[in-house]
Amino acid sequence: MSCATTTFNLGPSLRLHNYSYNYNNNNNNLRFPKPFAHYHYFAVANNNNNNNYYSNNTSSYSVGTLFSISTNHRSPSFNASRSSSSSPFIICSSLKSQPSVSQERVVVLVIGGGGREHALCYALRRSPSCDAVFCAPGNVGISNSGNATCISDLDIFDSTAVISFCHKWGVGLVVVGPEAPLVSGLANDLVKAGIPTFGPSAEAAALEGSKNFMKNLCDKYGIPTAKYKTFTDPSAAKQYIQEQGAPIVIKADGLAAGKGVVVAMSVEEACEAVDSMLVKGDFGSAGCRVIVEEYLEGEEASFFALVDGENAIPLESAQDHKRVGDGDTGPNTGGMGAYSPAPILTKELQALVMKSIILPTVNGMAAEGCKFVGVLYAGLMIEKKSGLPKLIEYNVRFGDPECQVLMVRLESDLAQVLLAACRGQLSGVSLNWSPGSAMVVVMASKGYPGAYEKGSVIRNLEEAEHVAPCVQIFHAGTAQDSDGNIIATGGRVLGVTAKGTDLEEARERAYQAVEEINWPGGFYRRDIGWRALPQKQFASKRVN
């Protein structure tokens, strides 16, 4: 198979910048990852002529040994080298194993700054075809780890600014992490500008942006879900609750940062939830409409599929822990921990989920005129009485913290897989995963998911990453103070992640690392994995 390669003209089409970096100083606008910056040089494409760094040639590329596809593309290629004093250029992938000559090179921009985005940067940095990874805005953990160059001052809700950055730096793939930029239409604008973007359009992102939209789609295309009714009138909602009884589930229709769901164990609690959303306006516009939903009893599981508009391929299974307290008690959170694979999602059950939930959704969205491109994250309930899956909700991005355990297990070239999704070429693609298991334990600020203090100092992070093999700490809500200390700035702050030959070993390593961290202002669940390991004694130590 013949292929064309795209190279830079290392003459007037490049500007050379010589920087001196201080990795502990957050004031640098462009802080290059440590492995990338041995010579403190970087080649920047001149934006005066887009043809200097884009090619419309047809090339072939492969995802490891998984597949090879011929495709038309527009991609940057940083084929510069530091071969002489007159050409002091390097490429960011110079310290990694090189892909075959037929493989496309790509510079990636990750949008977001949480634990999910840290995990994506980690996986992309390991992708053989990835020349460089940028993250906007990123966070101090991403920057210090060397997984990406963080662009803290890039406004991710300003499409013009993002597009300009992509053109300036030769970005050939944008991966949008959080839901808010997707719902606001960032992917629409990037795709219109010719920039391959992994993430759905604003219209398709309504699967997460409006629970009512998702429920209506389920009704129309026969996708199994809990029975429900939608209300804007609090009195009507309360009357329905009285008729149905408790337990029952109340959901804000719009985006509420993972906090707009109340599992009410009494009618009184359900009515209070309705008042908080429709009367008090606690969730703003997200709570102007509520869904009152049947309570499903069973075991929750997370199912992820990559979608290219028409085709879908499943990722490995994972299971989240939504409640804040041990034994799945207390209010819902964005997620306090996860593990992969999830034993409850057998191969047979995964096939059923693809057939009855994922593919009907993909086909339904296409029939509605808004093809979905990105990752579908299905929150499932495996019903106790039937053993069958029902759809609880959709997210239109990688879950957090499930993304962390998936990315440490992924062995395929993530950059090339996501590019294939952007181009409608997932058919026939398969993914490679490391054997064994992975677990992430989330460390959160005391008080979360309610009010919490910011600014508490976190120590011993480096020691924790080295306390056991295969440990990665992904930062979600951290910053660096004027003294160089890592401080907590969010609710969910750290995702302490570990791999093992089995779930028991992964759990042991993860909690060993957690217990090494000195953070009096934090807490964590001590029973992550309890459903898969019910006979085990779970961690009892508190944060030092």
Side-chain angles (χ1 to χ4, degrees):
M1 180 181 293
S2 63
C3 65
T5 58
T6 307
T7 59
F8 272 108
N9 173 4
L10 298 182
S13 64
L14 295 175
R15 299 193 306 274
L16 182 64
H17 296 272
N18 187 343
Y19 294 109
S20 177
Y21 299 107
N22 178 355
Y23 297 114
N24 294 318
N25 182 352
N26 281 331
N27 294 325
N28 293 321
N29 283 335
L30 294 179
R31 300 178 67 242
F32 286 85
K34 297 176 186 179
F36 294 1
H38 283 291
Y39 301 109
H40 303 297
Y41 290 97
F42 197 78
V44 184
N46 189 323
N47 197 33
N48 291 335
N49 184 349
N50 288 352
N51 293 328
N52 284 336
Y53 57 93
Y54 280 129
S55 169
N56 292 312
N57 294 331
T58 298
S59 297
S60 66
Y61 63 92
S62 60
V63 180
T65 59
L66 297 177
F67 68 102
S68 182
I69 296 176
S70 179
T71 176
N72 291 321
H73 65 88
R74 296 175 61 199
S75 66
S77 178
F78 280 41
N79 287 346
S81 63
R82 194 176 191 273
S83 57
S84 68
S85 58
S86 60
S87 300
F89 306 101
I90 63 167
I91 57 174
C92 293
S93 60
S94 60
L95 301 182
K96 298 190 291 184
S97 60
Q98 296 298 312
S100 63
V101 293
S102 64
Q103 192 172 44
E104 180 182 0
R105 313 294 303 166
V106 65
V107 176
V108 183
L109 170 63
V110 176
I111 299 293
R116 166 184 50 228
E117 289 75 36
H118 193 171
L120 289 170
C121 290
Y122 167 82
L124 288 163
R125 180 68 186 90
R126 294 163 59 218
S127 297
S129 68
C130 191
D131 274 331
V133 185
F134 294 103
C135 187
N139 64 46
V140 66
I142 297 172
S143 182
N144 287 350
S145 68
N147 294 140
T149 301
C150 292
I151 315 298
S152 60
D153 58 352
L154 180 59
D155 184 354
I156 61 175
F157 291 95
D158 183 345
S159 295
T160 301
V162 175
I163 291 168
S164 176
F165 179 89
C166 292
H167 286 165
K168 178 179 180 180
W169 292 90
V171 171
L173 171 65
V174 176
V175 181
V176 185
E179 63 274 22
L182 292 170
V183 173
S184 71
L186 177 61
N188 301 56
D189 296 333
L190 289 169
V191 170
K192 186 176 180 180
I195 299 168
T197 303
F198 184 77
S201 65
E203 295 77 15
L207 275 174
E208 178 173 0
S210 171
K211 295 176 182 65
N212 186 60
F213 175 89
M214 184 273 287
K215 286 288 194 177
N216 288 339
L217 189 83
C218 290
D219 283 348
K220 186 172 182 178
Y221 293 97
I223 299 165
T225 188
K227 71 176 184 179
Y228 74 101
K229 281 194 175 181
T230 303
F231 298 93
T232 55
D233 176 19
S235 298
K238 292 176 188 177
Q239 181 178 344
Y240 180 74
I241 290 168
Q242 293 284 352
E243 294 169 359
Q244 297 300 310
I248 198 164
V249 181
I250 315 300
K251 296 181 176 180
D253 178 53
L255 297 176
K259 301 174 185 177
V261 177
V262 176
V263 180
M265 303 311 292
S266 67
V267 169
E268 292 75 17
E269 185 183 1
C271 291
E272 288 174 5
V274 168
D275 282 340
S276 73
M277 297 176 190
L278 292 180
V279 179
K280 298 177 183 177
D282 288 349
F283 296 99
S285 60
C288 289
R289 181 164 50 187
V290 301
I291 287 81
V292 181
E293 188 177 85
E294 170 193 14
Y295 174 81
L296 298 177
E297 186 176 1
E299 189 169 346
E300 290 190 44
S302 303
F303 190 94
F304 298 86
L306 302 181
V307 182
D308 68 4
E310 297 181 357
N311 307 292
I313 59 172
L315 299 181
E316 264 286 8
S317 62
Q319 190 157 23
D320 190 11
H321 297 64
K322 288 294 186 186
R323 299 294 190 102
V324 72
D326 291 354
D328 285 345
T329 58
N332 270 2
T333 70
M336 294 300 294
Y339 55 89
S340 173
I344 191 172
L345 280 171
T346 63
K347 294 299 181 185
E348 294 76 16
L349 202 54
Q350 290 182 54
L352 179 59
V353 172
M354 286 293 292
K355 180 181 179 180
S356 65
I357 296 176
I358 301 297
L359 292 178
T361 300
V362 174
N363 295 333
M365 292 295 286
E368 295 298 317
C370 49
K371 287 187 176 182
F372 187 95
V373 175
V375 61
L376 268 181
Y377 163 17
L380 304 174
M381 179 66 75
I382 313 303
E383 275 201 289
K384 185 177 182 179
K385 61 184 180 181
S386 67
L388 298 177
K390 282 189 175 181
L391 180 65
I392 299 174
E393 64 178 3
Y394 267 131
N395 293 318
V396 297
R397 31 64 182 188
F398 286 99
D400 185 344
E402 297 96 330
C403 185
Q404 286 83 316
V405 290
L406 293 175
M407 290 303 105
V408 297
R409 292 192 59 215
L410 182 66
E411 293 188 339
S412 300
D413 187 320
L414 180 62
Q416 291 301 312
V417 173
L418 299 188
L419 276 172
C422 295
R423 294 166 176 158
Q425 296 170 342
L426 280 180
S427 179
V429 174
S430 59
L431 300 173
N432 281 350
W433 301 92
S434 66
S437 298
M439 178 178 286
V440 57
V441 178
V442 170
M443 301 185 73
S445 297
K446 287 181 178 178
Y448 175 81
Y452 54 85
E453 290 187 5
K454 298 181 180 181
S456 56
V457 175
I458 307 170
R459 294 186 172 88
N460 292 358
L461 289 174
E462 187 173 347
E463 292 84 348
E465 277 201 321
H466 294 93
V467 74
C470 303
V471 173
Q472 292 287 331
I473 298 178
F474 296 113
H475 290 233
T478 62
Q480 200 164 31
D481 67 15
S482 58
D483 296 322
N485 298 310
I486 299 297
I487 59 173
T489 59
R492 293 187 298 161
V493 176
L494 300 170
V496 183
T497 310
K499 290 197 298 181
T501 56
D502 55 25
L503 187 57
E504 183 177 355
E505 184 176 58
R507 178 194 166 277
E508 181 180 350
R509 289 173 172 177
Y511 275 106
Q512 192 176 353
V514 165
E515 291 159 9
E516 187 71 21
I517 295 171
N518 183 348
W519 181 27
F523 77 98
Y524 58 93
R525 276 184 61 164
R526 300 165 185 84
D527 65 343
I528 302 302
W530 71 276
R531 290 184 181 273
L533 298 169
Q535 75 280 18
K536 299 299 178 183
Q537 294 296 315
F538 291 93
S540 59
K541 292 185 180 181
R542 297 181 180 272
V543 183
N544 294 330

